[in-house]
Amino acid sequence: MNTRQQNKITYSWYGKPMSSDRKLRTSQYKGILITSERSRTETCIQLGNFILVEGENADQPFVAQLLDLYEDGAQQKHAVVQWFSHITEIPQNKRKLLKREISPQEVFFDQVPGYDTDIAVETIIKSIMVIPLRLGEELPVMLNKEQTFYVKQSWDGKCFKALSPDTFSKLKEARKKEGGIPNSSNSLIPSDIISPLKKETENVVRSTTKPKNVELEIESKHSASKSSLAKERHSQRVANDVKTPTARKKLQLNSPIRSPKGRLLGSEVLELLDDLCDAVAPLEPSATKRRVKFTGILGSPPKIPCANEKSKSVLDTAEDWQRFKDTIQLSPHSKVSDSNEKAKNLNVKDDTISLIGYQKRCSQSPVLSPCSRRICVQKTNTRIAEQVSILNALELNQEEDFLSSSDSSYSSSSEEEKDDVLCTPEKKTKSSRTLSTPKSSRKSSVHTPAKTPKKTPLPGTPKTPRNATPEIPRRNHAAQKPASILEEARLRLHVSAIPESLPCREEEFQDIYNFVESKLIDGTGGCMYISGVPGTGKTATVHEVISCLQQAAENDELPSFQFVEINGMKLTDPHQAYVQILELLTGQKVTATHAAVLLAKLFNTPGPKRKTTVLVVDELDLLWTRKQNVMYNLFDWPTQKHSKLIILAIANTMDLPERIMMNRVASRLGLTRMSFQPYTYKQLQQIISSRLNGMKAFEEDAIQLVSRKVAALSGDARRCLDICRRATEICEFASQKRTPEIVRMAHITEAIDEMFSSPYINAIRNASLHEQIFLKAILAEFRRAGVEEATVQQVYHQHIALCRIEGMQSPTISEIMAICSRLGACRLLLVESSNKYLHMQVRLNISQDDVMYALKDE
Amino acid sequence: SSQIVTKTNAFATRMLSGLKFLTYCCCQYRHLLELLKRTTVHGESNSALVIGPRGSGKTALLNWVLKELRKMKQVRENLLEVHLNGLLQTNDKVALKEITRQLQLENVIGDKVFGSFAENLAFLLEALRKGDRTSSCPVLFILDEFDLFVHHKNQTLLYNLFDISQSAQTPVTVIGLTCRQDILELLEKRVKSRFSHRQIYLMNSFDFKQYIRIFKEQLSLPAEFPDESFAQRWNNNVQRLPEDKTVQDTLQNLFHYTKDLRSLHLLLMLAVSNVTVHHPLITASDLQEASRQHRMDSRANIVHGLSVLEICLIIAMKHLNDVYEGEPFNFQMVYNEFQKFIQRKAHSMYNFEKPVVMKAFEHLLQLELVKPIERPSVRAQREYLLMNLLLDNNQIMDALQAYPNCPTDVKQWAASSLSWL
């Protein structure tokens, strides 16, 4: 993809406008030419073709079908598409509805309302194959995974449905048409072979797609931009093949790898082709015409690419014909045909290597008008289709043979692919291809792991398996159910227990809900800043809003959206925010700087099929950096026209934007603010009652007491719940012997005392006698000096004086130092580093009154 | 004699294991035990701090609780423990790695060398987020020297641990051990809000009677001691010991000095190390001697080893301190003071050359009995560098009393700076 971006690519209309609307000043076209300047390639995509469209994630382009092409009044090129959803685009919780394994190659006919089907032409990457299949059908095993997708079901945002016969036939039609379009790079399969007889169809598809695979394999070795080179070479080779078999043989001699079977080939293919034509002739009167066609090609070696394409497709069909003939007439000889094919493929490769010199000449001298040629080929194709359907009918009897033939051809082709890899001189995709080869050659359609994501855009490529997230081991014994009413209450009062609804935050809930909802409906972006002291339910409310919105989106009342949450405290560095957002949005893991670039691109460029993103940034203040670029970017994205980003930023301080943000950041954050007031005691009471939900575990007064206490202190709901929980424990502890009782005032008081009482007083009271005397000595020294700081030496003298009064043995300096450092470790005292020995300064860490109060009672 | 050796060894281990004394804090024990039991049995998340001064048995209490818990089968198989120490895990990055290692999650990543700090955190949070109350194995985080974790950047680790303990994820219980009473003031407001405010205080809240009991328990030989008759003799002796007045005084002094039981252990170790084949039972004098060693002032001891010249210099400094009320002095002042003494009073002292006196002065400097106020610079002359004396007058006088063969005139000079006038 990167190379694509560096490339200059021009998009131009193919052909003349089909119709134009005067009023709207639009004109419609039937195809578009994509010209890559660097590699001088030209691809033509026509209406009805299947295409890849650039997605927000470079690894995951969207699949779509081109329905309409038009140019509007402003000279902008537009395309109308029918989307196909990849499995990764379907919400996780809906995937289980499918009840089956989904191959990464499978897409769903998208009927989700709300996706913009009008896209800019510039987002089209290339054309691909989409093959409709019946629901029960197996995916045909294809080697060329990147180019081909299958569709079995449709997806309307809520459930999966089998394709309606109408869409099915339409898709098939489109594919047929595609097969007949000469310029499309995928025009090589006669897709018409799909017959109503299912089982058989599948087999046919499997076998017939083989040659195409080979073709595309060659192409995919080159980057997208180079693929047409390969085509040209290929067609040149075709021409050579047809014209001078001997010359080709010479080339073969030059080739690095040669199988004995390869020698079989050369002229034999031609012979077979001739045979085939002969065999068909009686059945089909126009067979002669085809021969004429051939000769036409023979006669004009220098061709424009478009003509080459045609000749190639003709040859391909011929190849298919050959296969059919084999299966019908020469089923015992299927081996021979296999080897032929194989050898031929070797040639394909050889030619690619050796015939590079030809390409320029080819593209320089156009002789035949592409249009007429195309028509011819189309005709031929339809004829072939007719014949094939007849043949299919014949084949019914020979299914066994057919199967064996297709199998052997399959295995041979996988071998080819290996050879292919070995001798491909292309560097670009080689590594990824060699990786994928062993897997794809396996019969089961295991999708290829470890693709280099940038070079081979494949939707649904699984991430490296090493990134599997670990899990804490499961417990061996089941967790006990709460046995008593107190245990049950404790469970419900735990902060982690999520209540059905959040009481007391209805207004805030409604405000946030309305904000996000309106933005969602408008399809615009915006920011909201939510502040409030810890434990006032900010995050919980936002989460509830999001889950309500998600519910609404599921019920189709709102457009669906993506929800991403980051927490400043859970990041090691503010810049990691980019990484986390990107990972949550697209699943990519990149470095912070790269993530910033990707996110900027994602939000700043109009993308098709983009959902609104709701981003919750918790603990916003921790995203502060000196240059504030993280915050700047976060709040800048929603202001972009196409971003569709809604940000809910949460922090503690009400005036955070004014205090720590630069003007340009604060201005982007906007003025939509909301502040969560600390809970009042009534609200806290309601919160506890609603959690207890009518359970008789607490006295009413007890609840009121705890609510009032906490409301007076902080209004932190977490604290409130913690106290209640502790009170249940105390209650349980106290009433162990007697009958179970409910939590009373006394228990609450005890719990509150335990949590909020200052530890210092108790610490002083439990200190040893000399430690207490030392504190007294400090007080005495402070009083003497009038300064609240003293050296140990000064305190020591006071200490000795006190000891004499008390009639106690006075401690040595070493002991005094030890006492001092012990009190310092508890932080009753603040002491300097001890290397100053007697001269270190000592201060009290608590008020003198507290010390006196603590020592008085003794 | 080998028996005695084994016996002494038995003491050493018993004294250091220090589990006996915990009987006095059974309330805290029950609180912690119930807390951890609920974590393992019900999968309830919690957080608690065990706070108490050094040597008050925080770690011992926790180990005791864990030992009891492990006796229960349901708990033993259901609990993952993560032990962290603030002195070892000096930042969150190291701590996260250690957590991952102890939870044995690193093998999940396979061959991958452990990534960046950010990846690590995301990885661990993801791992813990995946669990839920009823199905995941509870994790017990023990943070020793909890106060040091508070100084980590943004308190990221603490925030996340407490956040997990307050949300419906893998059940975790975070137990912090610290000696700082002001620990809650160090927590950031968000972190503090998420902490459940359970504080278990260990305060050494026993009185002297309990202290004597602990003393007896610590010294008593256990029933499984091989030589029964000796054990009985020893234990009887230990029971009778505290009745002795000197023993009581010794213990009382120690008790007044500190309630830290480690000091008691140290004292008893010193006493018990006197036990030999010929002196099989511990006596009051042993304890007294041990107490004397235990209380010894380290600086005064250094003074005992000084030469007379050095002692004289220290006395000169003491006089300077008296005259100038603790103001700093320099070598020249000390030398002048010393010269005055030599010229007027001293009969026994030889008049040393100035460089010799300087040498003696530098020796005192090296012993850190004197300390320069500022770092010596190249420019300043050594004689005029300002110094402080790191000895108290009392220490000097005590040391002189004990100093062997101290000349009488020096002693007199020390007693009064004015006596020679």
Side-chain angles (χ1 to χ4, degrees):
Chain A
M1 295 304 292
N2 277 352
T3 50
R4 246 184 62 80
Q5 280 156 9
Q6 286 153 18
N7 238 339
K8 195 176 172 195
I9 295 166
T10 51
Y11 293 82
S12 55
W13 293 123
Y14 173 76
K16 295 230 165 68
M18 293 197 301
S19 62
S20 54
D21 189 328
R22 289 267 165 81
K23 220 181 256 171
L24 293 170
R25 303 209 304 173
T26 59
S27 35
Q28 292 180 309
Y29 294 84
K30 57 185 170 185
I32 187 152
L33 281 170
I34 301 173
T35 319
S36 165
E37 205 144 88
R38 200 174 61 176
S39 52
R40 270 182 278 133
T41 49
E42 215 173 50
T43 328
C44 178
I45 301 173
Q46 300 217 347
L47 293 188
N49 281 22
F50 297 98
I51 48 172
L52 280 185
V53 181
E54 270 180 43
E56 48 203 44
N57 184 346
D59 299 358
Q60 303 202 336
F62 297 121
V63 180
Q65 188 186 14
L66 200 54
L67 295 183
D68 196 7
L69 285 164
Y70 68 92
E71 185 167 291
D72 64 10
Q75 308 275 299
Q76 294 287 320
K77 298 184 177 68
H78 288 271
V80 178
V81 293
Q82 163 64 49
W83 292 111
F84 288 85
S85 293
H86 192 259
I87 184 70
T88 51
E89 294 164 38
I90 288 166
Q92 199 80 42
N93 54 345
K94 297 285 188 185
R95 288 183 201 176
K96 57 178 179 282
L97 291 177
L98 279 166
K99 298 191 183 75
R100 61 186 172 99
E101 283 290 301
I102 301 299
S103 142
Q105 291 310 112
E106 183 164 343
V107 290
F108 299 93
F109 190 77
D110 194 314
Q111 291 176 322
V112 182
Y115 282 152
D116 193 2
T117 55
D118 195 329
I119 60 166
V121 160
E122 285 73 18
T123 53
I124 297 175
I125 300 171
K126 60 177 172 181
S127 66
I128 41 136
M129 291 289 300
V130 176
I131 302 172
L133 293 175
R134 304 273 177 202
L135 189 51
E137 278 176 304
E138 289 282 306
L139 294 191
V141 181
M142 294 277 242
L143 296 174
N144 186 16
K145 298 204 162 186
E146 288 137 53
Q147 303 288 336
T148 322
F149 294 89
Y150 306 93
V151 56
K152 284 180 176 175
Q153 282 173 298
S154 67
W155 160 247
D156 64 356
K158 267 180 286 187
C159 56
F160 296 95
K161 285 185 196 130
L163 289 179
S164 69
D166 192 29
T167 23
F168 191 82
S169 59
K170 235 189 267 173
L171 288 172
K172 228 163 75 170
E173 194 68 29
R175 221 165 69 77
K176 214 179 286 181
K177 198 170 151 202
E178 196 172 3
I181 292 166
N183 280 351
S184 121
S185 50
N186 291 319
S187 61
L188 314 166
I189 327 167
S191 50
D192 354 29
I193 306 155
I194 297 168
S195 80
L197 301 151
K198 256 197 249 164
K199 178 84 179 165
E200 199 185 48
T201 316
E202 191 188 315
N203 290 332
V204 174
V205 169
R206 190 175 287 178
S207 59
T208 49
T209 44
K210 233 70 281 170
K212 186 216 68 170
N213 283 342
V214 176
E215 296 279 352
L216 292 176
E217 211 58 64
I218 296 160
E219 281 169 22
S220 65
K221 272 182 297 196
H222 312 266
S223 69
S225 61
K226 287 183 180 170
S227 64
S228 65
L229 284 189
K231 258 178 265 164
E232 285 165 25
R233 276 177 229 151
H234 175 83
S235 51
Q236 184 60 46
R237 183 262 305 170
V238 170
N240 283 346
D241 268 359
V242 178
K243 197 170 76 182
T244 53
T246 44
R248 198 170 56 79
K249 269 198 167 173
K250 268 183 215 155
L251 286 169
Q252 229 184 343
L253 288 171
N254 298 334
S255 68
I257 292 191
R258 225 181 302 148
S259 70
K261 279 179 185 173
R263 289 188 178 278
L264 273 178
L265 232 150
S267 54
E268 237 178 78
V269 173
L270 265 187
E271 277 170 32
L272 280 166
L273 277 172
D274 284 351
D275 278 359
L276 165 71
C277 293
D278 289 344
V280 170
L283 286 170
E284 172 62 305
S286 69
T288 45
K289 203 176 173 187
R290 274 184 67 239
R291 296 216 59 162
V292 171
K293 189 87 254 140
F294 264 107
T295 48
I297 295 166
L298 287 169
S300 56
K303 287 177 291 281
I304 59 158
C306 131
N308 290 341
E309 284 293 326
K310 183 180 55 190
S311 73
K312 184 173 68 175
S313 74
V314 168
L315 185 91
D316 274 8
T317 44
E319 234 171 68
D320 291 327
W321 272 97
Q322 175 207 348
R323 176 96 48 84
F324 277 97
K325 201 193 68 182
D326 281 349
T327 47
I328 298 161
Q329 302 176 340
L330 310 167
S331 36
H333 301 288
S334 59
K335 265 268 179 275
V336 178
S337 78
D338 279 343
S339 58
N340 282 348
E341 192 182 310
K342 187 170 181 178
K344 200 175 72 66
N345 283 313
L346 281 173
N347 290 331
V348 170
K349 161 200 59 209
D350 294 344
D351 291 340
T352 358
I353 299 164
S354 53
L355 282 172
I356 292 164
Y358 282 89
Q359 50 167 9
K360 281 186 184 167
R361 218 173 357 112
C362 300
S363 52
Q364 275 161 5
S365 51
V367 169
L368 291 168
S369 84
C371 199
S372 64
R373 294 222 162 242
R374 202 188 54 218
I375 292 160
C376 291
V377 174
Q378 266 171 344
K379 273 184 193 161
T380 331
N381 272 341
T382 44
R383 297 242 166 81
I384 292 166
E386 280 163 28
Q387 289 172 12
V388 166
S389 58
I390 297 163
L391 290 174
N392 281 343
L394 290 173
E395 267 168 27
L396 267 174
N397 309 326
Q398 304 176 357
E399 212 175 283
E400 296 275 4
D401 297 345
F402 189 83
L403 274 173
S404 68
S405 118
S406 65
D407 272 354
S408 55
S409 77
Y410 171 74
S411 60
S412 68
S413 64
S414 69
E415 276 168 49
E416 282 154 30
E417 193 184 318
K418 273 180 207 155
D419 292 348
D420 228 56
V421 174
L422 285 172
C423 34
T424 341
E426 292 289 341
K427 277 178 210 146
K428 230 180 144 193
T429 49
K430 198 175 170 185
S431 60
S432 67
R433 280 180 44 78
T434 38
L435 272 175
S436 64
T437 316
K439 287 261 169 152
S440 55
S441 66
R442 232 181 277 153
K443 295 240 167 172
S444 62
S445 63
V446 181
H447 40 243
T448 52
K451 287 233 183 230
T452 42
K454 276 174 201 160
K455 286 161 191 168
T456 52
L458 173 67
T461 309
K463 295 288 160 206
T464 43
R466 278 184 289 172
N467 289 347
T469 48
E471 220 175 320
I472 301 294
R474 311 233 129 231
R475 52 188 301 149
N476 292 323
H477 300 272
Q480 264 180 24
K481 291 271 178 292
S484 70
I485 198 163
L486 284 175
E487 283 179 11
E488 175 70 31
R490 195 152 55 226
L491 196 66
R492 291 196 194 176
L493 288 171
H494 198 281
V495 185
S496 71
I498 301 152
E500 298 87 53
S501 72
L502 281 177
C504 314
R505 287 293 181 219
E506 289 83 11
E507 257 176 59
E508 285 86 353
F509 174 87
Q510 204 54 48
D511 282 359
I512 301 173
Y513 188 91
N514 289 346
F515 174 79
V516 181
E517 190 190 30
S518 64
K519 298 283 178 199
L520 273 178
I521 291 170
D522 296 350
T524 54
C527 294
M528 185 175 203
Y529 177 71
I530 299 165
S531 65
V533 292
T536 48
K538 302 178 295 293
T539 313
T541 308
V542 168
H543 278 157
E544 209 193 346
V545 167
I546 296 293
S547 65
C548 275
L549 287 167
Q550 273 168 342
Q551 194 65 43
E554 263 178 45
N555 298 340
D556 259 351
E557 290 152 19
L558 283 174
S560 66
F561 62 93
Q562 251 180 318
F563 170 54
V564 177
E565 187 189 13
I566 57 167
N567 186 327
M569 269 293 206
K570 294 182 179 172
L571 303 171
T572 51
D573 174 87
H575 293 97
Q576 289 294 324
Y578 297 130
V579 180
Q580 291 229 329
I581 295 172
L582 189 73
E583 198 187 334
L584 290 167
L585 271 178
T586 66
Q588 286 172 295
K589 270 190 177 170
V590 291
T591 59
T593 40
H594 190 200
V597 174
L598 287 178
L599 280 174
K601 184 175 168 252
L602 180 64
F603 290 121
N604 293 346
T605 52
K609 221 179 163 183
R610 162 118 42 83
K611 285 184 197 168
T612 304
T613 310
V614 178
L615 174 64
V616 172
V617 185
D618 215 342
E619 315 292 0
L620 177 73
D621 48 331
L622 283 161
L623 295 184
W624 187 89
T625 51
R626 211 170 49 79
K627 285 172 127 184
Q628 307 195 357
N629 43 3
V630 178
M631 283 188 182
Y632 178 86
N633 278 336
L634 273 183
F635 298 127
D636 192 38
W637 291 330
T639 61
Q640 302 291 324
K641 194 179 162 199
H642 308 284
S643 62
K644 287 190 171 184
L645 178 67
I646 303 167
I647 291 187
L648 301 173
I650 305 176
N652 290 132
T653 33
M654 202 194 294
D655 57 345
L656 187 81
E658 285 74 34
R659 258 186 333 127
I660 67 166
M661 288 186 195
M662 293 175 189
N663 287 337
R664 57 195 167 112
V665 180
S667 134
R668 275 168 176 78
L669 175 58
L671 291 168
T672 323
R673 304 220 180 139
M674 159 162 295
S675 138
F676 279 62
Q677 298 303 319
Y679 288 112
T680 62
Y681 85 90
K682 282 203 171 136
Q683 288 173 322
L684 289 173
Q685 217 172 327
Q686 200 184 333
I687 288 170
I688 300 173
S689 317
S690 78
R691 279 193 179 235
L692 288 174
N693 200 9
M695 224 163 53
K696 271 281 156 213
F698 280 73
E699 268 181 2
E700 274 304 310
D701 289 350
I703 297 178
Q704 187 168 359
L705 174 69
V706 67
S707 314
R708 280 184 185 272
K709 272 276 183 190
V710 173
L713 277 168
S714 59
D716 186 338
R718 290 196 187 106
R719 197 71 328 100
C720 195
L721 295 172
D722 282 334
I723 292 173
C724 289
R725 227 150 47 84
R726 178 65 190 140
T728 60
E729 283 168 28
I730 293 170
C731 174
E732 204 174 52
F733 190 71
S735 66
Q736 256 171 356
K737 299 116 207 171
R738 282 164 287 150
T739 49
E741 64 172 327
I742 62 171
V743 179
R744 299 184 190 287
M745 298 271 269
H747 303 131
I748 296 279
T749 321
E750 199 181 332
I752 290 173
D753 282 349
E754 218 175 71
M755 284 189 182
F756 294 114
S757 68
S758 161
Y760 293 113
I761 307 287
N762 218 354
I764 293 174
R765 285 190 182 158
N766 284 311
S768 72
L769 191 58
H770 274 299
E771 284 162 357
Q772 289 176 347
I773 293 174
F774 190 80
L775 288 172
K776 278 184 196 161
I778 290 177
L779 290 185
E781 179 60 29
F782 284 177
R783 211 174 304 120
R784 188 190 70 81
V787 190
E788 297 226 337
E789 196 171 43
T791 63
V792 174
Q793 195 167 19
Q794 290 165 330
V795 179
Y796 171 65
H797 289 140
Q798 294 285 350
H799 191 116
I800 288 181
L802 282 173
C803 281
R804 284 199 189 117
I805 294 169
E806 305 261 334
M808 289 173 60
Q809 193 182 11
S810 50
T812 58
I813 294 262
S814 284
E815 282 173 328
I816 287 288
M817 295 302 295
I819 287 170
C820 185
S821 69
R822 272 206 300 273
L823 293 175
C826 294
R827 286 300 188 281
L828 289 170
L829 298 182
L830 297 174
V831 293
E832 281 184 308
S833 68
S834 63
N835 65 355
K836 283 186 157 179
Y837 199 56
L838 282 177
H839 301 287
M840 72 181 178
Q841 301 282 342
V842 179
R843 272 181 296 147
L844 279 176
N845 196 27
I846 42 176
S847 75
Q848 295 191 27
D849 295 340
D850 281 357
V851 178
M852 289 218 275
Y853 170 74
L855 294 174
K856 196 173 61 186
D857 287 2
E858 296 285 313
Chain B
S1 70
S2 66
Q3 187 199 355
I4 300 294
V5 171
T6 50
K7 182 193 69 199
T8 326
N9 283 349
F11 274 124
T13 50
R14 276 172 50 74
M15 284 181 175
L16 290 177
S17 72
L19 279 176
K20 272 275 170 80
F21 67 92
L22 282 165
T23 41
Y24 76 90
C25 55
C26 70
C27 180
Q28 288 93 333
Y29 165 76
R30 282 208 12 220
H31 187 174
L32 194 59
L33 185 70
E34 288 295 316
L35 195 73
L36 295 184
K37 219 194 269 176
R38 274 203 309 279
T39 301
T40 48
V41 175
H42 295 285
E44 185 184 300
S45 292
N46 270 314
S47 47
L49 280 177
V50 182
I51 306 171
R54 294 215 180 277
S56 59
K58 303 178 290 293
T59 312
L61 174 72
L62 188 72
N63 287 338
W64 186 24
V65 168
L66 286 177
K67 199 175 153 197
E68 286 297 312
L69 277 175
R70 287 192 198 107
K71 285 181 190 162
M72 285 180 269
K73 184 163 177 287
Q74 201 193 9
V75 173
R76 189 173 55 236
E77 293 171 0
N78 259 348
L79 189 65
L80 296 170
E81 288 172 34
V82 177
H83 293 262
L84 299 176
N85 190 318
L87 292 168
L88 299 177
Q89 280 78 43
T90 49
N91 59 41
D92 282 348
K93 191 178 176 184
V94 182
L96 283 177
K97 277 193 185 172
E98 184 63 19
I99 292 171
T100 319
R101 196 185 63 74
Q102 291 192 20
L103 286 177
Q104 296 180 339
L105 290 172
E106 80 269 49
N107 52 359
V108 178
I109 320 161
D111 56 329
K112 191 180 175 195
V113 179
F114 230 62
S116 67
F117 180 28
E119 269 176 51
N120 240 326
L121 181 68
F123 173 84
L124 201 65
L125 289 178
E126 181 63 29
L128 290 169
R129 185 164 37 233
K130 275 187 150 185
D132 67 345
R133 189 180 69 82
T134 47
S135 65
S136 298
C137 197
V139 187
L140 172 63
F141 287 94
I142 294 163
L143 308 181
D144 215 342
E145 308 291 346
F146 183 82
D147 44 316
L148 296 176
F149 286 98
V150 165
H151 300 303
H152 294 181
K153 189 186 162 225
N154 285 347
Q155 304 188 350
T156 307
L157 181 75
L158 295 183
Y159 177 90
N160 285 309
L161 287 182
F162 287 147
D163 195 50
I164 293 164
S165 82
Q166 299 240 320
S167 53
Q169 302 178 3
T170 306
V172 297
T173 288
V174 186
I175 306 284
L177 307 177
T178 181
C179 61
R180 286 185 68 163
Q181 305 284 345
D182 62 343
I183 186 70
L184 285 183
E185 292 155 38
L186 300 175
L187 293 175
E188 214 233 355
K189 58 185 185 304
R190 288 172 277 225
V191 181
K192 194 176 171 184
S193 168
R194 280 166 176 79
F195 169 57
S196 74
H197 278 66
R198 285 163 194 276
Q199 299 148 62
I200 300 172
Y201 286 101
L202 284 175
M203 285 297 182
N204 288 332
S205 53
F206 43 80
D207 58 10
F208 187 58
K209 267 185 194 159
Q210 281 170 308
Y211 192 70
I212 295 280
R213 203 161 63 233
I214 293 166
F215 162 79
K216 285 185 199 164
E217 278 170 10
Q218 287 293 325
L219 270 184
S220 301
L221 281 178
E224 62 265 24
F225 192 74
D227 187 344
E228 250 178 65
S229 63
F230 176 79
Q232 199 159 18
R233 217 146 54 88
W234 172 275
N235 284 347
N236 285 341
N237 177 47
V238 167
Q239 290 300 322
R240 262 183 281 113
L241 260 183
E243 290 160 19
D244 193 325
K245 186 77 182 88
T246 51
V247 173
Q248 256 186 22
D249 282 350
T250 317
L251 290 178
Q252 183 92 53
N253 270 334
L254 189 67
F255 181 71
H256 282 163
Y257 164 58
T258 172
K259 285 172 156 183
D260 179 2
L261 290 171
R262 278 193 193 136
S263 308
L264 180 66
H265 292 167
L266 189 62
L267 180 82
L268 296 183
M269 284 290 253
L270 287 172
V272 168
S273 59
N274 279 335
V275 172
T276 60
V277 184
H278 307 294
H279 179 69
L281 294 179
I282 192 164
T283 59
S285 59
D286 285 338
L287 271 176
Q288 217 172 5
E289 175 61 22
S291 165
R292 204 185 54 75
Q293 284 180 23
H294 188 253
R295 292 170 47 96
M296 197 103 73
D297 187 354
S298 53
R299 298 261 164 161
N301 273 355
I302 296 176
V303 177
H304 288 173
L306 296 178
S307 69
V308 176
L309 172 60
E310 285 156 352
I311 291 268
C312 287
L313 289 181
I314 283 180
I315 292 168
M317 291 174 207
K318 168 180 173 282
H319 291 325
L320 283 173
N321 266 345
D322 288 346
V323 173
Y324 298 108
E325 288 179 333
E327 290 297 305
F329 50 83
N330 60 29
F331 170 72
Q332 199 57 50
M333 292 161 78
V334 177
Y335 184 69
N336 287 343
E337 195 73 22
F338 177 62
Q339 282 291 318
K340 274 189 234 167
F341 167 65
I342 294 292
Q343 283 161 11
R344 305 208 182 156
K345 191 76 184 172
H347 309 294
S348 55
M349 283 294 289
Y350 178 76
N351 192 3
F352 294 102
E353 299 282 316
K354 196 176 176 185
V356 178
V357 180
M358 186 71 189
K359 199 81 187 166
F361 188 79
E362 280 182 348
H363 187 221
L364 293 179
L365 201 64
Q366 278 163 2
L367 288 171
E368 287 205 342
L369 292 176
V370 274
K371 197 161 194 250
I373 285 179
E374 57 217 14
R375 302 203 129 273
S377 64
V378 191
R379 276 168 297 159
Q381 279 183 291
R382 280 183 302 177
E383 291 92 329
Y384 303 106
L385 214 58
L386 286 176
M387 304 280 180
N388 261 331
L389 180 62
L390 293 188
L391 285 171
D392 193 66
N393 286 355
N394 292 346
Q395 278 174 303
I396 298 169
M397 296 315 286
D398 289 349
L400 272 180
Q401 294 302 321
Y403 192 79
N405 307 324
C406 182
T408 352
D409 43 355
V410 174
K411 269 189 184 169
Q412 279 175 358
W413 180 46
S416 163
S417 59
L418 305 170
S419 62
W420 46 269
L421 283 176

